[in-house]
Amino acid sequence: MNMQDLDNTSIEILVAEDSATQAELLKALLEENHYKVTTAVNGKLALEQIKQRQPNMVISDVLMPELDGYGLCKAIKSNDKLKHIPVMLVTTLSNAEDVISGLECGADNFIRKPYDEKYLLSRIRYLLMNVELRKNQRMQMALEINIGGNTHSITAERQQMLDLLVSTYEQAVQVNSELKEREQQLAHSNQVFQGLNRIAKSLNSAVTEKEVAETALLHAMELPDIHAGWITLHRGDEHFQLAATCCLPPALAETNAFDGDCACRRRLLKGELETGSNIIQCERLARAKGDTQGLCCHASIPLWLGEGNALGIMNLAGHGKKLFNEDELKILYSVGNQVAVALERARLHEKLEILVAERTAKLAAEIEQRKRIEQEQARLVAIIDTTPDFVGTCDLAGKPIFTNHAGLRMLGIKPKKGIPANNIANTHPDWAAKKVKEEGIPHAIEHGYWAGETALLRQDGTEIPVSQVIISHREQGRDVEYLSTIMRDISQQKKTEEELLELNERLEQRVTERTAD
């Protein structure tokens, strides 16, 4: 008899399962394959039904009230009128004792939870096909098996032993395959996590646009399946500027390879590139002259800094025709968000450096005393350049979600204690909290970001004046989900301004005195 000879419509299967949900799922699967199905909520009721009407096969869960699956199977196999009925046990198959119990009770097959539907159906058909064969092969075998110091005496039919052990082996192979797959997934996830961590750390130390772009691409290459990349920044209207490249094929390394329009730039300008997207046939690669190393597509990641403020595009490519799945695109999109924040921070650094330099140049022409002020300003610039900023996220009410170690130190909190369970009112003095709540957050939610001067309130009650930027974050054009903030300690800057005012007053007083003389 082969598998095609079986007519499922004439075959009745009894399912013994105390879980109503599991019983209905298994019943639905079997009925879809044209089997007749009856159910019982425990082994005792199942045995009563079998005695009244013999099914062609029994599928039983192991753990059940009244009479478990092993007891039900043993009762069936101990009855001369019922023992021909094949019994399949559904179990976790977690240790060798399961196999011994299955042999002792005379089970014909094991199926491990959660089971693969195709494999379950194939085992059902196999057992049903072998019913007649086993009627003519009732050879009993006796074995003594020692497991864990305990000796088990097993007496069972040779074919029953083979069927059960084969099914056990198949399930063990499946478990091993699943474990290997999970190990691979874990290794992949760990590689992604380590790569994202390195990107975040490296971006914190980048102080110019060029450094941010080059650092982001360099560490993006450490992510799985990323082998080439380039970042172009939007400079207004339809103009884009190449900021950095990494591991490009020779064709894209040619002069003017990035001149001209392309699909990802058009989509960004039209607002169609809201999240990471695959560019299946890259126009730039298609028209490039030279060796593209088989590269024809890439992922385009927008560098968004709030709604309507697109800083540019980060394009990342794998080998050849590699396309990124939805989860990978989400990860790359999160990288793009980090790059956008780092770019904006770098621009603030660069603007601040320019302002400081201009002020220093004006003061340099004045009296010798102002040289001390220039030195203080130079030291202030050095501190700003080398000291990490306060970086954190919060919900729309201002309750912190994440605060970096530098931010915790600015608040006077030890990093090991984690994020303080408070809100803006506890991390800002009253006037600054009011400014952030009434001006900063609403403006950032409406326009994408806000910048201004506020202050931090340390644990000891002292205030730290800061230059603060608040950025709103949206997911796929939806409402703002959370806010992020970057704060820089400007205490020294405030002090310098006060000294300049005082010095100016003294100079004006001296001029007045000399004029009077």
Side-chain angles (χ1 to χ4, degrees):
M1 178 183 296
N2 57 43
M3 296 180 72
Q4 284 73 23
D5 294 331
L6 293 173
D7 180 12
N8 292 357
T9 59
S10 63
I11 296 173
E12 183 175 335
I13 299 176
L14 185 141
V15 174
E17 170 63 73
D18 61 323
S19 169
T21 300
Q22 294 296 322
E24 283 301 315
L25 289 173
L26 182 52
K27 181 181 179 182
L29 173 64
L30 295 175
E31 288 180 342
E32 284 178 6
N33 287 271
H34 311 296
Y35 292 107
K36 295 179 181 178
V37 183
T38 57
T39 60
V41 296
N42 58 56
K44 183 178 180 181
L45 293 176
L47 186 59
E48 292 177 0
Q49 291 181 213
I50 293 170
K51 290 179 179 179
Q52 294 176 4
R53 177 184 176 84
Q54 292 186 17
N56 298 95
M57 183 177 179
V58 174
I59 301 177
S60 175
D61 187 24
V62 168
L63 299 178
M64 292 187 299
E66 299 290 340
L67 184 64
D68 65 14
Y70 294 127
L72 172 61
C73 182
K74 186 173 183 179
I76 293 172
K77 297 301 182 179
S78 299
N79 190 318
D80 289 337
K81 295 181 179 180
L82 305 177
K83 64 183 181 181
H84 66 281
I85 301 174
V87 178
M88 177 184 291
L89 295 180
V90 182
T91 177
T92 57
L93 198 62
S94 58
N95 53 58
E97 295 295 334
D98 292 333
V99 180
I100 297 301
S101 298
L103 288 168
E104 289 177 337
C105 72
D108 298 279
N109 201 269
F110 267 128
I111 284 291
R112 184 179 61 89
K113 290 182 178 180
Y115 50 79
D116 178 80
E117 293 182 357
K118 291 183 178 180
Y119 178 75
L120 171 65
L121 294 171
S122 70
R123 296 309 299 176
I124 290 173
R125 294 182 70 81
Y126 171 80
L127 291 177
L128 292 171
M129 284 186 344
N130 283 354
V131 170
E132 293 299 323
L133 176 64
R134 292 180 58 179
K135 284 181 180 180
N136 300 322
Q137 295 181 4
R138 296 295 184 181
M139 182 186 296
Q140 296 286 321
M141 296 180 64
L143 296 174
E144 283 193 356
I145 302 175
N146 188 290
I147 296 180
N150 298 320
T151 300
H152 300 265
S153 297
I154 308 296
T155 301
E157 296 176 11
R158 177 177 179 276
Q159 188 64 37
Q160 182 261 333
M161 282 187 179
L162 289 174
D163 287 346
L164 187 65
L165 293 175
V166 166
S167 68
T168 303
Y169 173 76
E170 289 177 341
Q171 296 291 289
V173 169
Q174 182 180 351
V175 170
N176 186 56
S177 298
E178 292 174 358
L179 288 175
K180 288 183 178 179
E181 183 178 352
R182 290 175 184 174
E183 287 178 358
Q184 293 174 350
Q185 292 173 349
L186 181 60
H188 181 275
S189 298
N190 185 59
Q191 186 179 357
V192 170
F193 174 78
Q194 295 296 334
L196 294 177
N197 189 46
R198 285 189 288 269
I199 290 173
K201 287 183 177 180
S202 63
L203 289 178
N204 286 335
S205 61
V207 295
T208 67
E209 282 189 350
K210 182 177 178 61
E211 288 180 4
V212 169
E214 290 179 345
T215 299
L217 287 181
L218 177 64
H219 291 285
M221 298 303 107
E222 299 174 9
L223 295 174
D225 299 324
I226 304 295
H227 299 286
W230 59 96
I231 291 177
T232 52
L233 299 181
H234 184 213
R235 297 305 190 189
D237 297 328
E238 297 182 1
H239 179 59
F240 285 82
Q241 179 184 5
L242 184 65
T245 65
C246 190
C247 304
L248 293 182
L252 289 185
E254 294 291 331
T255 304
N256 303 327
F258 288 94
D259 291 349
D261 198 9
C262 66
C264 54
R265 293 182 182 182
R266 290 194 299 272
R267 291 179 61 183
L268 182 73
L269 294 176
K270 292 179 181 179
E272 298 175 354
L273 195 63
E274 296 180 355
T275 60
S277 177
N278 282 306
I279 304 298
I280 299 175
Q281 291 294 333
C282 175
E283 298 174 11
R284 196 171 304 282
L285 284 165
R287 64 174 179 251
K289 297 180 180 179
D291 182 13
T292 63
Q293 296 180 342
L295 189 65
C296 65
C297 54
H298 59 78
S300 285
I301 311 300
L303 306 179
W304 288 107
L305 189 67
E307 184 178 1
N309 188 9
L311 302 187
I313 308 171
M314 178 171 63
N315 290 325
L316 298 173
H319 283 308
K321 299 181 180 180
K322 160 70 178 177
L323 295 178
F324 298 91
N325 61 39
E326 185 176 344
D327 291 336
E328 290 171 329
L329 289 174
K330 287 181 179 178
I331 291 172
L332 297 180
Y333 181 67
S334 70
V335 173
N337 287 338
Q338 294 182 53
V339 174
V341 172
L343 285 170
E344 184 64 14
R345 186 178 66 235
R347 290 176 179 179
L348 291 175
H349 275 281
E350 292 170 353
K351 289 179 181 178
L352 183 58
E353 289 177 350
I354 293 172
L355 292 174
V356 172
E358 289 176 350
R359 178 169 292 183
T360 302
K362 291 179 182 179
L363 294 175
E366 300 190 10
I367 63 175
E368 186 66 21
Q369 185 179 5
R370 296 202 177 189
K371 292 182 180 180
R372 180 182 62 81
I373 298 175
E374 292 177 11
Q375 294 173 351
E376 293 177 356
Q377 288 181 327
R379 287 195 292 270
L380 175 59
V381 171
I383 292 172
I384 292 174
D385 287 341
T386 58
T387 302
D389 299 330
F390 180 114
V391 180
T393 58
C394 64
D395 61 21
L396 301 186
K399 183 177 180 181
I401 300 172
F402 165 80
T403 303
N404 68 345
H405 286 184
L408 294 175
R409 286 194 296 271
M410 288 174 69
L411 291 171
I413 299 172
K414 292 183 178 180
K416 291 183 179 180
K417 292 186 177 180
I419 304 172
N422 51 25
N423 51 36
I424 291 175
N426 302 105
T427 56
H428 292 272
D430 292 342
W431 68 268
K434 182 178 180 181
K435 185 175 183 179
V436 170
K437 286 183 177 180
E438 297 181 1
E439 179 183 340
I441 291 179
H443 190 278
I445 291 175
E446 182 177 356
H447 301 285
Y449 71 99
W450 172 86
E453 289 190 8
T454 61
L456 283 175
L457 184 63
R458 290 177 55 83
Q459 293 281 296
D460 59 8
T462 59
E463 293 186 15
I464 302 176
V466 295
S467 174
Q468 183 170 2
V469 176
I470 301 175
I471 304 166
S472 61
H473 298 270
R474 301 173 184 269
E475 183 68 24
Q476 297 182 348
R478 301 176 184 170
D479 294 338
V480 175
E481 294 188 350
Y482 67 95
L483 304 169
S484 63
T485 184
I486 304 169
M487 285 182 273
R488 165 156 291 173
D489 186 347
I490 58 172
S491 301
Q492 188 62 36
Q493 180 180 333
K494 288 291 186 181
K495 182 180 177 181
T496 301
E497 290 174 353
E498 291 174 0
E499 290 179 351
L500 285 174
L501 289 175
E502 183 179 350
L503 181 59
N504 284 332
E505 290 176 358
R506 290 179 183 177
L507 289 174
E508 289 176 0
Q509 184 177 358
R510 289 182 183 179
V511 171
T512 301
E513 291 174 353
R514 290 180 180 178
T515 303
D517 292 340

